[in-house]
Amino acid sequence: MSDRAPADQFLDAAIDLLRTIRDEEADSITAAGNLLADTVAGGGQLFAFGAGHSSLAAQDLVYRAGGLALMNLLVVPGVVGVDVMPAPLGSALERVDGLASAVLDSSPLRAGDALLIISLSGRNALPVEMALHARALGVKVIGVTSVAYASQTTSRHSSGTFLKDHCDLVLDSRIAVGDAELTHDAIPAPFAPASTVVTSALLQAVMATTATALADRGIEPPLLRSGNVDGGHDWNTRVMEQYADRIFYRH
């Protein structure tokens, strides 16, 4: 137990994690940003997927001010978000074999596209199968996960493998197994998860890299502006009309 305020302890832990990914994931962030820029420049489509709380980081990339207009959410019914009732159903669906393949085969994903798969543990059947099947379709896969889980837990996929084993690129969030930064003598369980803060920041760093990489090639990045600033709505309408064939959240 520390004499420091719990808020200070948590914020310092999150800051330390952000510094770690800034310093140790820099090459992977650059590579991921360039892969997405390659996809956009080549006419490909962009998708992001996460289940449960990992979906929060995926949703943070889609249809937002300052973000890439081309980023689409890949929806798996019953697992995207925490509004599933009963809530444990979403966790159960992550362990169902065959679900990811069925979703991908019914989606607009095609060879030459890029898919971000966000899974903190990377151990469940859904993200592993999704990465496997997406790559078989010719889709580039960027996995966003905590690599530590692969050495401290067991896989729930029939192959015994983890998400990290089936990606073109892996971004390691460096989150400790269990996703809780604080302990207290009078509290029996660890608490204060930082994965959402860190994973969202990690992915926004990738998006910033993508936008800059496109600009460096002479391509205007298809960015959205805030609808709450003058001219923002008209700007977004123009961008979405220009790239209508690669934007799926308008329908």
Side-chain angles (χ1 to χ4, degrees):
M1 185 171 61
S2 172
D3 292 333
R4 297 169 57 237
D8 290 346
Q9 294 178 55
F10 173 75
L11 291 171
D12 284 346
I15 290 168
D16 287 345
L17 283 163
L18 291 171
R19 286 183 174 137
T20 297
I21 62 171
R22 178 197 63 192
D23 297 340
E24 299 184 15
E25 292 297 304
D27 290 344
S28 295
I29 290 169
T30 299
N34 285 328
L35 187 155
L36 295 183
D38 290 342
T39 304
V40 172
Q45 305 170 148
L46 306 180
F47 292 85
F49 167 77
H53 286 91
S54 289
S55 72
L56 299 177
Q59 292 178 58
D60 190 49
L61 301 176
V62 179
Y63 185 53
R64 72 157 304 143
L68 288 171
L70 302 190
M71 187 61 71
N72 299 280
L73 189 67
L74 181 64
V75 176
V76 177
V79 304
V80 178
V82 292
D83 58 347
V84 181
M85 291 296 173
L89 175 61
S91 298
L93 289 173
E94 290 185 63
R95 304 173 192 179
V96 174
D97 291 333
L99 179 57
S101 295
V103 168
L104 288 175
D105 288 342
S106 301
S107 78
L109 272 159
R110 64 194 183 202
D113 292 347
L115 171 62
L116 287 156
I117 301 176
I118 304 156
S119 173
L120 179 61
S121 72
R123 69 186 298 221
N124 287 312
L126 184 58
V128 175
E129 180 186 321
M130 184 172 287
L132 275 164
H133 195 60
R135 294 182 83 192
L137 295 173
V139 174
K140 295 292 187 182
V141 173
I142 299 173
V144 187
T145 188
S146 171
V147 172
Y149 276 82
S151 61
Q152 299 180 44
T153 67
T154 56
S155 171
R156 289 178 174 144
H157 187 258
S158 58
S159 66
T161 60
F162 287 75
L163 170 62
K164 73 174 186 65
D165 299 316
H166 306 288
C167 300
D168 295 280
L169 284 170
V170 174
L171 298 170
D172 186 357
S173 64
R174 310 293 173 126
I175 299 294
V177 173
D179 191 18
E181 295 300 319
L182 302 185
T183 59
H184 188 286
D185 292 345
I187 301 176
F191 56 101
S195 60
T196 303
V197 173
V198 173
T199 304
S200 292
L202 177 56
L203 286 169
Q204 290 300 343
V206 172
M207 296 302 111
T209 304
T210 301
T212 303
L214 287 168
D216 288 344
R217 302 178 194 189
I219 301 171
E220 180 181 327
L223 297 171
L224 295 173
R225 292 191 175 190
S226 171
N228 296 313
V229 299
D230 291 344
H233 178 73
D234 291 340
W235 172 281
N236 292 341
T237 298
R238 176 183 65 80
V239 171
M240 288 191 282
E241 288 177 350
Q242 181 180 350
Y243 291 96
D245 61 328
R246 289 191 265 174
I247 295 175
F248 300 97
Y249 51 79
R250 297 183 69 192
H251 308 296

